[in-house]
Amino acid sequence: MTENYNYRIIIQNGGLKLEKFYVTTPIYYVNDKPHLGHAYTTTAADIIARFNKFLGRDVFFLTGTDEHGQKIQQAAEKRGMTPKEFVDALVPKFKELWEKLNISYDHFIRTTDPEHIKAVQYIFKKCYENGDIYLGEYEGWYCIPCETYYTEKDLLEGKLCPMCKREVVRVKEESYFFRLSKYQDKLLELYEKNPDFIAPDFRRNEIVNFVKQGLKDLSISRTSFTWGIPVPINEKHVIYVWFDALTNYLTAVGYPEDTERLNHYWPADLHLVGKDILRFHTVYWPAFLMSAGLEVPKRVFAHGWWTVNGEKMSKSKGNVVDPFELVEKFGVDQIRFFLFREVSFGLDGDFTYEKLVARINGELANDLGNLFNRTLSMLKKYRSSIVPEPKGVEDELDVKLKNKALATVSKLKELIPKAELTKALDEIWQFVSFVNFYIDRRAPWSLNKEGKEELDRVLYNMVEALRFITAFVYPYMPSSAEKMVEMLKLDKKAESLRISEFEEWGGIKPGIELEKGGILFPRVEYNPKTGEVSIAKTKKATK
Ligand code: MSP
C-alpha cells in the first residue's frame, strides 16, 4: 500500500479509513444444477461477509461460475447447443439459488466475461515474459469428467480415475507448461512464514508434505478442444482450466488495468474452498501470482465434504440433496444454521433429515425461539411490554451475563473472519444457553411477588441479552435477525447493526414498548416415508 493510496481512502470515507475484507467462493462448474456442496461454501462466505460488514469493514464478496473446458463443451454438444448457449442456460439456476439462500454477494463473475478473458491472457503473458512458461509436450492419463491428468501411480486398478473411478484415457499433445518446479522452495517458505495461510492446520501439513515430495511443471494449455481462452501468443492453444479459473479472483478486483481497485482489494483476505481443490489454491495459485509479481492471498480455508446417510452424493445413486427443496421445506435460516452447527466447519459431515429436524426443534425452536417468546411474554405480563429502567444493585449473576455477552463479541471477532464458523456458533449457543440459565435462576415469576426493583433489572437484562443475540445470529440467520429486530423495536435493520453498538451493555432504551411475543422458529415434523414436512403443533411457551 502506498502512502498516496492511504490518503485517498481516508478522503473517500470522510475522514475514516475503512479496513477492507475480500472474500471469495470457488467459481462453480456449470455442467449441472447447483447442489448442497455449492450451497455450503457460498453460505459460509456469506456469513463471513455479513460479519465483516458488522465489523464496519469495506467488504467485497465474490462468487461466480467456471464455464470453460472440455467437459462443458461435451455436455453442450450432447444437447445440440453451443457451449455458450449451454452455460447461459445454467447460470440463472445458480443466481436463483443464491437469492433463495439470502446470499449477499457483491459481484458474480463468469469466466466467459470479456474482462476475464483479457485478464487471463494478460497474466499468461506476464508469466511467459518472466520466463515461467515454455512450450513442451504433454503425455499422460487424463480423466475427461474430472478434467485432470494423472500419473500412472495415481490411478486405481484397471486404469480408473482416483476421484470418480471412471476410465481414464492416454493423451499426448503439445502444451505450454508453467515452471512450478521453480517455486518449490518459495512455496515452502511461504507456508513456513505464514502459518495462517492454509487452514485448518491438518490440511496445511498435507500441502507441505505434498510440496516437499517435489513439484513437476504444470501443463496449462490444450490443443485437443477449443472451448477456452486462447493462448495470447499461440491461437492453436486454449488455456487449461485452472490457470483460467483461478485468475477470476484477480479479474473481479480490476486486474490488470484498474490498479486503484486492485491495490485496494488485493490480496484477497480469504479464499474459501472445498478440500478437493485446496491444492490448486495453495500450490498453483500462489506460484502463478509470484511469477506475475503479485501478492498471494492471506488465507485459504478448506472445508470438508457432505455425505448423505453416510454415502457420497451422486447422481447415479439419486441421493443428491437439492438445496432448493431444503429451503422450500424447512426455511432458509434453518438450513443456514444447520450446515454450520451440525458439522465442524473444516471436517467432513453427514446429512440426514433426522439430524436436521432435531437441530431445528431442539436448538432453534426450543433454545432460541422460546427464549425470545418467553422473554417478551414475561415483559408483557409483568410490565405491559414496556422495557423497564434497570434498577437496584447488580449481583454476580448479572455481571456474569453482561461479561459473557461482551466476551462473545470478542470471540466472534476473532473466529469468524478466520472462517471458524462452527466454533463461533458454539460460542453463540453457549450465550443463548446462559441467558436461558439466567432466566431460570432469576425466576422472574417469583420476583414479581417480592422483588419489584430486581424484576425490573432482570427483565431489562433479558431484553438486552436478546439485542446481543440478534447481532450474533445475524450473519448466520439474516432473515430471522430482521424479525428479531422488529420484535425488539430496534431503530435499524439487522444488516445495519455495527459492532460499535455492542461494545457496552445497555443499548436497549428503557421506556419503549416491545412486541408481545411470537414464534420465530416453528417446530417441524418430518415424515421419512413421504418426505413431507409439517409444522408440529406448538407447545405452549414454557417459563
Ligand atoms: N470450478 C472449480 C473451482 C474453481 S475455483 C477457481 C470447481 N467447481 S465445482 O463446481 O466442481 O466445485 C465447487 C465446490 O463445491 C468445491 O469447493 C467443492 O469442494 C464443493 N463441493 C462439491 N461437492 C461437495 C460436497 N459433497 N460437500 C461439500 N462441498 C462439496 O471445483
Side-chain angles (χ1 to χ4, degrees):
M1 239 191 242
T2 63
E3 296 219 8
N4 228 346
Y5 163 78
N6 275 337
Y7 177 71
R8 183 175 46 75
I9 295 295
I10 289 166
I11 296 297
Q12 266 181 3
N13 298 298
L16 271 176
K17 186 181 157 230
L18 284 191
E19 213 181 319
K20 65 90 186 175
F21 196 91
Y22 178 22
V23 56
T24 69
T25 73
I27 46 171
Y28 302 107
Y29 288 133
V30 276
N31 48 1
D32 210 340
K33 55 184 191 345
H35 59 63
L36 186 68
H38 302 124
Y40 191 41
T41 333
T42 312
T43 306
D46 187 62
I47 293 168
I48 295 165
R50 286 177 187 274
F51 186 76
N52 275 287
K53 283 181 192 155
F54 171 73
L55 291 183
R57 290 181 177 156
D58 166 16
V59 173
F60 185 60
F61 168 14
L62 178 70
T63 190
T65 43
D66 190 354
E67 306 186 0
H68 292 125
Q70 189 168 15
K71 216 177 359 176
I72 287 169
Q73 186 172 335
Q74 286 169 341
E77 274 161 12
K78 248 206 230 155
R79 289 167 181 78
M81 293 164 109
T82 66
K84 185 65 169 52
E85 281 166 355
F86 177 71
V87 291
D88 281 351
L90 274 167
V91 164
K93 266 275 159 211
F94 282 81
K95 291 192 172 166
E96 197 190 315
L97 179 61
W98 304 152
E99 212 177 303
K100 280 226 151 33
L101 282 169
N102 237 330
I103 304 297
S104 61
Y105 63 83
D106 295 296
H107 184 59
F108 189 101
I109 191 166
R110 300 180 54 179
T111 52
T112 48
D113 290 340
E115 54 282 10
H116 177 69
I117 295 171
K118 249 169 75 185
V120 172
Q121 292 185 324
Y122 189 93
I123 192 172
F124 186 100
K125 264 195 175 153
K126 202 88 189 151
C127 299
Y128 182 76
E129 283 159 13
N130 290 345
D132 285 337
I133 291 178
Y134 63 91
L135 189 61
E137 197 173 58
Y138 193 85
E139 186 176 359
W141 296 104
Y142 187 63
C143 173
I144 298 173
C146 296
E147 289 184 286
T148 311
Y149 274 97
Y150 292 103
T151 59
E152 188 110 26
K153 70 171 171 34
D154 290 332
L155 298 179
L156 303 178
E157 225 185 286
K159 304 262 180 291
L160 302 182
C161 167
M163 290 295 281
C164 72
K165 302 190 174 63
R166 279 179 271 212
E167 228 170 278
V168 294
V169 286
R170 191 78 182 154
V171 180
K172 187 173 179 180
E173 57 179 311
E174 184 187 89
S175 168
Y176 284 94
F177 282 81
F178 179 82
R179 270 184 224 286
L180 192 61
S181 55
K182 180 177 141 185
Y183 288 90
Q184 179 165 348
D185 292 341
K186 287 199 180 101
L187 287 168
L188 289 171
E189 192 185 317
L190 165 73
Y191 310 145
E192 176 82 32
K193 284 199 178 146
N194 304 280
D196 267 359
F197 178 64
I198 304 171
D201 254 1
F202 69 97
R203 298 270 176 221
R204 193 165 82 89
N205 301 337
E206 284 172 19
I207 297 293
V208 169
N209 290 338
F210 169 75
V211 174
K212 276 189 178 157
Q213 278 168 22
L215 293 175
K216 286 206 205 94
D217 289 349
L218 197 72
S219 162
I220 55 163
S221 79
R222 291 288 178 271
T223 53
S224 49
F225 62 91
T226 53
W227 179 238
I229 299 175
V231 166
I233 51 167
N234 184 346
E235 300 264 319
K236 243 174 48 196
H237 289 247
V238 291
I239 293 173
Y240 178 55
V241 64
W242 282 100
F243 198 87
D244 165 354
L246 289 161
T247 304
N248 91 85
Y249 303 130
L250 285 175
T251 311
V253 289
Y255 182 80
E257 274 159 16
D258 190 346
T259 47
E260 193 173 311
R261 187 171 159 70
L262 184 69
N263 288 337
H264 180 46
Y265 285 114
W266 194 257
D269 295 271
L270 180 67
H271 290 319
L272 282 172
V273 299
K275 61 179 184 180
D276 53 320
I277 58 172
L278 181 65
R279 193 183 286 183
F280 303 109
H281 283 79
T282 54
V283 182
Y284 301 0
W285 182 223
F288 299 161
L289 289 165
M290 286 175 191
S291 170
L294 292 158
E295 277 184 75
V296 303
K298 292 190 191 151
R299 187 174 172 85
V300 183
F301 186 101
H303 63 69
W305 270 44
W306 284 95
T307 50
V308 177
N309 291 313
E311 291 193 47
K312 208 180 152 187
M313 264 194 280
S314 90
K315 260 205 319 209
S316 53
K317 281 192 201 130
N319 66 348
V320 178
V321 177
D322 177 1
F324 287 99
E325 198 184 312
L326 282 186
V327 170
E328 210 54 56
K329 281 188 172 164
F330 295 94
V332 57
D333 283 350
Q334 283 80 344
I335 301 303
R336 288 177 62 120
F337 170 77
F338 173 77
L339 291 176
F340 298 94
R341 180 73 175 148
E342 179 65 27
V343 173
S344 183
F345 195 53
L347 302 182
D348 291 336
D350 188 48
F351 178 91
T352 69
Y353 284 99
E354 287 72 15
K355 290 184 203 168
L356 173 60
V357 168
R359 290 280 176 191
I360 293 176
N361 291 342
E363 296 186 333
L364 291 181
N366 280 359
D367 296 350
L368 181 59
N370 191 40
L371 171 60
F372 268 74
N373 196 32
R374 74 197 291 218
T375 300
L376 295 179
S377 304
M378 284 186 237
L379 188 68
K380 177 182 164 214
K381 187 161 172 197
Y382 304 129
R383 293 293 180 266
S384 315
S385 293
I386 312 275
V387 179
E389 194 84 48
K391 294 191 196 118
V393 190
E394 282 183 329
D395 75 0
E396 212 181 306
L397 195 63
D398 298 323
V399 174
K400 215 168 168 186
L401 177 72
K402 175 156 87 178
N403 287 346
K404 252 196 171 310
L406 299 175
T408 307
V409 176
S410 314
K411 288 200 181 124
L412 300 187
K413 197 173 162 189
E414 180 203 320
L415 293 170
I416 298 182
K418 289 202 321 202
E420 297 291 359
L421 298 181
T422 306
K423 284 188 194 148
L425 200 45
D426 282 349
E427 295 292 337
I428 298 171
W429 236 254
Q430 278 178 35
F431 184 66
V432 168
S433 304
F434 191 79
V435 182
N436 275 315
F437 166 79
Y438 174 87
I439 299 174
D440 295 340
R441 278 285 293 276
R442 306 280 33 178
W445 45 94
S446 63
L447 292 177
N448 191 36
K449 288 163 209 125
E450 318 123 34
K452 296 273 182 207
E453 281 211 337
E454 199 181 344
L455 179 60
D456 279 344
R457 194 175 74 250
V458 168
L459 287 171
Y460 181 90
N461 282 344
M462 285 159 62
V463 175
E464 176 65 354
L466 297 190
R467 187 181 76 94
F468 273 80
I469 290 174
T470 303
F472 295 162
V473 301
Y474 162 72
Y476 293 85
M477 299 188 276
S479 41
S480 303
E482 292 304 347
K483 282 189 209 147
M484 294 172 183
V485 155
E486 279 169 30
M487 287 170 136
L488 300 177
K489 301 278 166 60
L490 300 184
D491 57 0
K492 55 176 70 148
K493 297 187 75 153
E495 63 179 27
S496 307
L497 295 173
R498 290 294 173 265
I499 193 165
S500 51
E501 299 150 76
F502 295 87
E503 276 155 359
E504 271 175 50
W505 186 258
I508 282 275
K509 298 273 163 296
I512 49 167
E513 186 180 346
L514 305 190
E515 281 187 13
K516 319 263 176 254
I519 306 290
L520 277 167
F521 303 101
R523 292 175 60 82
V524 292
E525 263 163 19
Y526 173 70
N527 181 337
K529 285 202 188 105
T530 60
E532 258 172 53
V533 176
S534 54
I535 307 282
K537 278 181 221 100
T538 42
K539 279 202 309 197
K540 249 189 124 200
T542 50
K543 274 179 180 171

